[in-house]
Amino acid sequence: MTDRNEQLFTRAKAVIPGGVNSPVRAFGSVGGVPRFIKRAEGAFVWDENGKRYIDYVGSWGPAIVGHAHPEVLEAVREAALGGLSFGAPTEAEIVIAEEICRLVPSVERLRLVSSGTEATMSAIRLARGYTGRDQIVKFEGCYHGHSDSLLVKAGSGLLTFGHPSSAGVPADFTKHTLVLEYNNVAQLEETFAQAGSQIACVILEPFAGNMNLVRPTREFIRALRELTAKHGAVLIYDEVMTGFRVALGGAQSLHGITPDLTTMGKVIGGGMPLAAFGGKREIMDCISPLGGVYQAGTLSGNPVAVAAGLKTLEIIQRPGFYENLTARTKQLVHGLKQAAEQTGIAFTADSVGGMFGLYFSGSLPQNYADMAASNIEAFKTFFHGMLERGVSFGPSAYEAAFVSAAHTEELVAESVAIAADVLAHMASY
Ligand SMILES: *Cc1c(COP(=O)(O)O)cnc(C)c1O
């Protein structure tokens, strides 16, 4: 049988670096050939061989109502018929901004952009412009898109400045970024004690999802809010992944915290390129044309993307949506843990709303180092075993995964049964 995925991968590599338009898609960290997706519907994706997978990637988060939801498609079609882009304001932009401000009360003013990277990059420029300070704080293992000052890894000791984690990023940029350990309250306190008056902002994933799912502790969350407030630094919740995913009001509603700025993306575009940053009016009013912080975009607030986002936001507010999503996600996590227990494999799992993490480890990770100490090889074996049997997870141990409203109780039970089989095979080696 000819493998179309393999053929397409070879062809892609001749014109696209590594054959992909975003590195994780190349399967580099799990090995093998990426699946080229032909179409998706509900909880399923089909590859170019015509093979069907139960999909827990969900386009890395946006597909919360299921792929190709008929109502979202209709909204997109209708908007597209009215024109694809105007480069001028529209009423629909106001409607989605009003909706987001209502659902996320910390957001008093909001600006639309086209990607999560743009949202975090702009929020950081704004925090620097507002405070007149240069230093920023991020946490190891949190991903905030690929702008220069965020592609940073930790230095060798406490309070050393970060080093570029990508070639092409000048050290002069990353010297303004302090990289701390997630959930390390003492280190955060010491950082503010030493450098508090120079810190423009702290940015974090309020439930980390880019080092697999890692929960913040209560103390960590409280310390972040108190220390930033005390030292006049802006607290940025990067909710590009968690926004409308862990709860209707995002992670901040679960934490009971009011951040100064929030970034959003993924779910708010419903599968189209749409993201946003927003927050306190006093800070947001520093943006051009009102203030001196420049930010712009030819396709910002694109009418077709806004239509997809608005319809998605409407669907997720229907009665029982999050109860159901959370219950299905818990069913999956519980089932997987039970299946692993019977095999004796060191494994655990966790979820928040419609987001979950699987760990080949005896305990839940608290930070990036914990995650890196888990059994990455076991994940690779599990990943390929599941893919082979028609269940798709993200091709890296460091990614959270996602359930959609289209994942029925039966599909989740089927996924668990398949996982039990894969884990039993793994245990027999
Ligand atoms: C995905 C993600 C981003 C980047 O969003 P893009 O749309 O891929 O640029 C930023 N922050 C977090 C937390 C993300 O999960």
Side-chain angles (χ1 to χ4, degrees):
M1 191 184 95
T2 60
D3 183 345
R4 287 240 338 131
N5 295 311
E6 212 168 296
Q7 286 174 350
L8 289 171
F9 196 35
T10 304
R11 207 174 119 201
K13 284 189 281 193
V15 282
I16 301 170
V20 293
N21 284 312
S22 198
V24 71
R25 299 178 193 172
F27 273 38
S29 55
V30 290
V33 177
R35 303 308 191 255
F36 281 69
I37 303 303
K38 186 154 190 166
R39 70 183 194 94
E41 194 184 320
F44 302 112
V45 295
W46 284 262
D47 74 9
E48 285 280 354
N49 287 335
K51 178 169 170 162
R52 191 187 84 173
Y53 303 86
I54 303 174
D55 177 38
Y56 292 102
V57 184
S59 185
W60 301 100
I64 197 166
V65 299
H67 291 289
H69 191 289
E71 290 177 70
V72 176
L73 291 186
E74 184 52 32
V76 164
R77 205 183 75 93
E78 215 169 280
L81 290 174
L84 296 179
S85 175
F86 317 124
T90 62
E91 184 174 1
E93 291 166 280
I94 312 171
V95 178
I96 197 166
E98 287 170 346
E99 195 68 353
I100 292 170
C101 291
R102 187 174 65 77
L103 294 171
V104 186
S106 75
V107 175
E108 298 169 353
R109 293 286 186 278
L110 164 92
R111 185 157 275 179
L112 297 177
V113 292
S114 302
S115 73
T117 293
E118 244 188 291
T120 55
M121 179 185 77
S122 306
I124 282 169
R125 184 182 305 136
L126 175 58
R128 284 172 162 159
Y130 171 74
T131 57
R133 303 171 180 177
D134 287 340
Q135 305 296 341
I136 65 173
V137 172
K138 81 174 283 286
F139 297 96
E140 193 180 18
C142 286
Y143 177 69
H144 305 290
H146 61 91
S147 68
D148 283 338
S149 53
L150 291 166
L151 290 178
V152 187
K153 59 185 178 220
S156 47
L158 180 68
L159 291 196
T160 55
F161 296 113
H163 299 303
S165 63
S166 162
V169 175
D172 276 350
F173 289 17
T174 56
K175 76 179 186 195
H176 296 299
T177 307
L178 285 159
V179 184
L180 307 183
E181 189 176 61
Y182 202 77
N183 277 329
N184 188 336
V185 176
Q187 193 188 34
L188 186 68
E189 282 171 345
E190 190 172 340
T191 301
F192 270 96
Q194 291 193 22
S197 65
Q198 295 152 49
I199 295 170
C201 64
V202 178
I203 184 166
L204 83 153
E205 287 185 74
F207 290 96
N210 287 287
M211 49 175 156
N212 206 324
L213 170 60
V214 175
R215 281 175 188 270
T217 63
R218 263 218 140 327
E219 300 71 57
F220 184 59
I221 287 302
R222 285 215 191 104
L224 280 163
R225 183 61 286 184
E226 281 165 18
L227 288 166
T228 47
K230 183 174 158 204
H231 292 271
V234 174
L235 177 61
I236 305 175
Y237 263 41
D238 180 359
E239 299 229 37
V240 169
M241 185 182 289
T242 55
F244 307 104
R245 167 55 69 181
V246 297
L248 186 58
Q252 54 197 268
S253 71
L254 298 179
H255 291 172
I257 291 285
T258 305
D260 303 308
L261 292 178
T262 299
T263 55
M264 291 170 253
K266 296 191 169 114
V267 168
I268 65 164
M272 295 290 285
L274 185 69
F277 65 102
K280 278 205 179 105
R281 176 185 169 176
E282 180 194 337
I283 304 176
M284 290 301 291
D285 283 355
C286 294
I287 288 185
S288 180
L290 294 180
V293 179
Y294 192 69
Q295 187 277 330
T298 301
L299 295 177
S300 290
N302 175 271
V304 185
V306 166
L310 263 176
K311 185 52 78 176
T312 301
L313 291 182
E314 180 194 318
I315 296 169
I316 64 178
Q317 289 180 68
R318 290 179 185 160
F321 185 90
Y322 283 93
E323 288 81 350
N324 205 43
L325 186 71
T326 302
R328 290 289 76 75
T329 313
K330 280 191 173 151
Q331 181 197 343
L332 180 68
V333 160
H334 181 72
L336 292 174
K337 282 204 283 194
Q338 271 197 327
E341 236 164 67
Q342 281 162 13
T343 65
I345 290 175
F347 175 93
T348 189
D350 193 15
S351 68
V352 192
M355 171 176 171
F356 67 96
L358 316 174
Y359 322 91
F360 284 88
S361 160
S363 57
L364 294 176
Q366 295 290 306
N367 54 43
Y368 184 79
D370 286 354
M371 193 50 223
S374 72
N375 189 344
I376 306 289
E377 284 305 314
F379 171 81
K380 290 185 198 175
T381 309
F382 177 75
F383 168 84
H384 280 294
M386 295 301 282
L387 198 66
E388 186 64 35
R389 290 166 178 79
V391 182
S392 165
F393 292 109
S396 161
Y398 292 93
E399 303 288 352
F402 307 98
V403 170
S404 82
H407 288 77
T408 60
E409 196 173 341
E410 292 71 28
L411 280 177
V412 171
E414 188 184 330
S415 308
V416 169
I418 293 168
D421 184 43
V422 170
L423 290 164
H425 265 269
M426 286 171 66
S428 71
Y429 280 103

